[in-house]
Amino acid sequence: MNRILSGIQPTGNLHIGNYLGALKNWVRLQAEYDCIFCIVDLHAITVPQDPAALRQSTREVAATYIAAGIDAERATIFNQSMVSAHAELGWILTCLTPLGWLNRMTQFKDKAGKNKDSVGLGLYSYPVLMAADILIYQATHVPVGEDQKQHLELARDLAQTFNRQFGAEYFPLPEPQIMGPATRVMSLRDGSKKMSKSDLSDYSRINMTDDADTIALKIRKAKTDPLPLPDSIEAAKSRPEAENLLSIYAALTDASLADTIAQFAGSEFSRFKETLAEVAVAKLAPIAAARGRILSDVGALDAILRRGAERANAIAQPNLAAIKDLVGLLRP
Ligand code: TYM
């Protein structure tokens, strides 16, 4: 059976971009794949985190996975740091990674900005740990949003480098699954910027925990242009804010962008925004409610993470042993 691995960082509230770009697709893919979904806490600490907030956020992300429809019986859910093989393979791959590959990573450039010399080494080698997350399970498919594409190319390059260097077809080359009409959800305030947890304006994003009034208000305030809605994909392309809201609608309703554009062609934004808010609330409110219920029983949630880690370790440990043998590292 093909195997999926994906993950989300526990660095605060998940937003509708995380949901439509990743989590919503995972729910559907569970039926066809052996799925491993981690909460990547080791990635979160590549920038400073408050320890109590990190613990809380890790549980919140786990609860959101389950609330959104990930079945903890069928899929494996755990936080990355509970399975030490990620970090161990991460080191082995670090030793195979040319600096030039990392220098090309646009996400590092965006995140480090002008502070290139003062940010931590972990932020720089972030994509190598991400490759280890995937390869330690010999995962074949990785469902993510568009912004992870470059990191996945690096994971494929590292898999190939390892296979060549150690003369074994050990790692399959993981395929990115960048799917649905909302692979890159943009900020509600600026159609040229990605929706992001770190945007200073909360009005730039719809959080998975926003209540109905907040969702409606954010959508009402979302930046638009003065024209009626476009009538073709071509026409939408030059109108990023319109295209973004239409893509969100399409993804929420499981429709194609083309059908959604046909449905609203020529409408006023005000009417469309009302419909979009209704659809968003209908989809997100039950997830927020379920998330709250799951978080109210921390003991049960932690048990799910522990069981997930046991299952993940049962795959990762023998794989790590085989990898160590290939590399020439003596084992006990
Ligand atoms: P993270 O935590 O930034 O985002 C989690 C997932 O959400 C997607 N995403 C978006 N999709 C559409 N529009 C947006 N505006 C948007 N913002 C975020 C991301 O593409 C991602 O799928 N490096 C990863 C976490 C990671 C990982 C992995 C993923 C660590 N190891 C192994 C896959 C496999 C990240 O920072 O995601």
Side-chain angles (χ1 to χ4, degrees):
M1 194 181 188
N2 285 323
R3 177 174 290 150
I4 274 180
L5 178 125
S6 199
I8 297 182
Q9 295 193 69
T11 46
N13 269 330
L14 297 196
H15 53 67
I16 200 169
N18 301 127
Y19 178 59
L20 298 178
L23 186 50
K24 185 168 185 289
N25 296 325
W26 301 357
V27 174
R28 194 160 45 75
L29 292 163
Q30 286 177 107
E32 295 161 49
Y33 294 83
D34 169 23
C35 287
I36 303 175
F37 298 122
C38 56
I39 300 111
V40 289
D41 50 3
L42 296 175
H43 279 106
I45 61 167
T46 57
V47 295
Q49 301 292 337
D50 170 69
L54 177 61
R55 262 188 296 275
Q56 175 64 15
S57 188
T58 300
R59 291 187 175 117
E60 285 173 1
V61 173
T64 309
Y65 284 5
I66 299 165
I70 303 297
D71 175 356
E73 293 300 320
R74 181 188 264 177
T76 300
I77 304 176
F78 64 100
N79 55 302
Q80 185 189 26
S81 63
M82 283 197 195
V83 179
S84 59
H86 291 239
E88 290 187 67
L89 178 58
W91 179 255
I92 293 170
L93 297 178
T94 297
C95 298
L96 299 178
T97 309
L99 293 187
W101 290 4
L102 296 180
N103 290 338
R104 284 201 291 274
M105 294 293 117
T106 55
Q107 194 151 314
F108 175 75
K109 290 183 202 164
D110 291 346
K111 284 195 179 169
K114 291 194 194 79
N115 308 319
K116 224 162 75 30
D117 290 335
S118 56
V119 295
L121 179 56
L123 196 63
Y124 186 61
S125 59
Y126 179 113
V128 182
L129 179 61
M130 179 164 158
D133 297 337
I134 300 163
L135 298 179
I136 192 65
Y137 301 103
Q138 296 178 307
T140 53
H141 293 80
V142 187
V144 283
E146 165 81 33
D147 61 345
Q148 298 302 313
K149 199 168 168 206
Q150 195 185 33
H151 289 161
L152 282 175
E153 278 159 17
L154 187 118
R156 290 170 62 89
D157 288 345
L158 275 173
Q160 248 168 336
T161 301
F162 182 97
N163 289 347
R164 206 179 313 115
Q165 180 139 341
F166 298 106
E169 285 305 307
Y170 190 75
F171 295 125
L173 301 193
E175 288 289 339
Q177 291 174 309
I178 299 173
M179 52 200 343
T183 56
R184 186 175 178 81
V185 177
M186 308 308 279
S187 157
L188 300 181
R189 308 300 288 167
D190 177 351
S192 68
K193 261 171 58 186
K194 193 180 67 171
M195 183 179 285
S196 143
K197 290 176 201 157
S198 55
D199 196 311
L200 292 177
S201 167
D202 199 52
Y203 281 94
S204 69
R205 61 186 161 258
I206 296 170
N207 300 308
M208 296 300 286
T209 49
D210 284 343
D211 62 26
D213 289 345
T214 309
I215 292 174
L217 180 65
K218 285 177 174 178
I219 291 177
R220 220 178 306 129
K221 280 178 161 278
K223 186 179 167 200
T224 47
D225 56 43
L227 302 173
L229 286 165
D231 58 7
S232 68
I233 290 194
E234 262 314 295
K237 275 212 169 72
S238 55
R239 297 173 60 194
E241 285 85 12
E243 188 185 30
N244 188 41
L245 295 179
L246 286 161
S247 301
I248 293 173
Y249 185 95
L252 283 170
T253 57
D254 296 310
S256 69
L257 180 59
D259 287 348
T260 304
I261 288 177
Q263 186 181 343
F264 292 102
S267 294
E268 294 305 320
F269 268 108
S270 53
R271 196 174 71 76
F272 168 66
K273 281 178 162 181
E274 265 173 45
T275 316
L276 174 59
E278 279 165 22
V279 162
V281 169
K283 197 79 198 178
L284 301 187
I287 299 177
R291 174 185 179 279
R293 281 194 300 276
I294 295 161
L295 280 170
S296 69
D297 190 347
V298 170
L301 183 58
D302 285 356
I304 289 175
L305 294 176
R306 267 197 314 275
R307 194 154 38 84
E310 275 166 27
R311 275 158 49 179
N313 262 312
I315 306 170
Q317 281 306 331
N319 285 357
L320 185 64
I323 292 163
K324 285 184 171 176
D325 288 347
L326 285 168
V327 175
L329 301 169
L330 285 180
R331 295 189 283 115

